[in-house]
Amino acid sequence: MAQIIVKNATVEYPLFQGGSMSLRNTLVAASTGGIISRGTKNIVTIRAIDDVSFTLKDGDRVGLIGHNGAGKSTLLRTLAGIYTPTSGNVFTSGKISTIFQLGAGLDNELSGYENVVRMGMFLGASKAQARSFIPDIEEFTELGEFLSAPVHTYSAGMLTRLTFAISTAMKPEILLIDEVLGAGDASFQEKAKLRMENVIKTARIFVLASHSNEMINLYCNRTLQFEHGKLIEDKML
């Protein structure tokens, strides 16, 4: 059984250091939506997540909604273990896979095949598991002999096909996605959509941060709405 328990979690990180906040910094604070505070040694911090609690279980398909800087991306990275709460706790049970940025871990000097293994391991697969992705990625990308060539020779469309295929090759229990479902050109969209839907169906828990109401309504059965780092609404769809 997969599970996520977030209990009174707060995430803060340093923003800048200085004696006073300029007008520019004040405007930045307003646009990010976090809570700006000054700690010891004049280090200014932003509270991106503020005393948040919720529980997710098998079957939850959750959309994180809210303005830019509301805390959605920070929360996803906290659930993934990239960020550690300043206070409170986050407990996860189940294998986690993330799709935060297509191409994370890509090496332009390596071939497509070598990057399948490299990026697969970057996403949490073992070397043997990453190699096992190759037949599926060959079929999906239709890149043929280009998979043996360095990826710096790829067009933007070819690179998108490869990175999207690798990012969606794993079958996790918990899947966390940050605004990447619109990747690729028009001819690639339907194929990518079907692949993504299959990955989502296999996950026990799915969490998507998005500004697209269409995406939220299509893939989610629950929404968590954030404002200035606080969870203000937990709603079933």
Side-chain angles (χ1 to χ4, degrees):
M1 183 178 96
Q3 191 176 43
I4 296 174
I5 300 174
V6 179
K7 187 173 182 180
N8 303 116
T10 293
V11 177
E12 296 178 326
Y13 50 83
L15 186 62
F16 60 88
Q17 184 172 7
S20 63
M21 288 181 65
S22 66
L23 174 62
R24 177 179 179 276
N25 288 329
T26 303
L27 292 175
V28 168
S31 65
T32 58
I35 299 174
I36 305 294
S37 63
R38 190 183 307 280
T40 59
K41 299 181 180 179
N42 262 344
I43 297 175
V44 178
T45 62
I46 182 168
R47 182 174 295 175
I49 298 295
D50 189 5
D51 194 27
V52 169
S53 298
F54 61 86
T55 298
L56 307 183
K57 60 184 185 304
D58 283 359
D60 278 333
R61 302 286 185 263
V62 180
L64 305 182
I65 59 177
H67 58 81
N68 286 331
K72 305 183 299 296
S73 294
T74 298
L75 177 62
L76 280 180
R77 284 155 178 77
T78 303
L79 298 182
I82 297 171
Y83 297 158
T84 301
T86 310
S87 62
N89 296 285
V90 174
F91 170 80
T92 61
S93 175
K95 183 176 179 59
I96 298 174
S97 183
T98 64
I99 305 178
F100 292 158
Q101 181 178 1
L102 293 180
L106 189 78
D107 188 326
N108 286 329
E109 300 304 316
L110 297 181
S111 71
Y113 283 123
E114 290 169 324
N115 271 295
V116 170
V117 177
R118 175 187 172 86
M119 291 179 62
M121 294 177 68
F122 184 84
L123 291 170
S126 67
K127 191 171 186 177
Q129 285 176 319
R131 285 175 173 166
S132 73
F133 299 158
I134 288 175
D136 169 66
I137 290 171
E138 286 176 328
E139 179 180 358
F140 179 78
T141 62
E142 300 177 347
L143 290 175
E145 294 182 359
F146 276 101
L147 286 170
S148 298
V151 298
H152 67 73
T153 65
Y154 289 17
S155 67
M158 293 165 63
L159 198 58
T160 296
R161 285 176 178 263
L162 177 65
T163 56
F164 183 83
I166 296 171
S167 296
T168 54
M170 296 187 68
K171 300 297 186 286
E173 293 175 293
I174 299 173
L175 177 61
L176 311 175
I177 297 181
D178 194 358
E179 286 280 21
V180 297
L181 296 182
D185 56 34
S187 64
F188 184 63
Q189 287 296 308
E190 189 60 29
K191 193 174 184 180
K193 178 182 174 183
L194 291 173
R195 184 178 177 89
M196 181 58 68
E197 287 176 348
N198 182 58
V199 175
I200 292 171
K201 286 178 183 177
T202 62
R204 292 179 179 272
I205 295 174
F206 169 60
V207 185
L208 167 67
S210 179
H211 292 287
S212 168
N213 290 331
E214 180 181 357
M215 292 291 183
I216 296 294
N217 291 329
L218 181 62
Y219 294 113
C220 302
N221 58 21
R222 177 180 174 186
T223 58
L224 301 179
Q225 183 174 354
F226 288 83
E227 184 174 304
H228 304 295
K230 289 184 174 292
L231 176 59
I232 63 171
E233 184 178 58
D234 185 343
K235 180 180 178 182
M236 300 301 297
L237 299 179

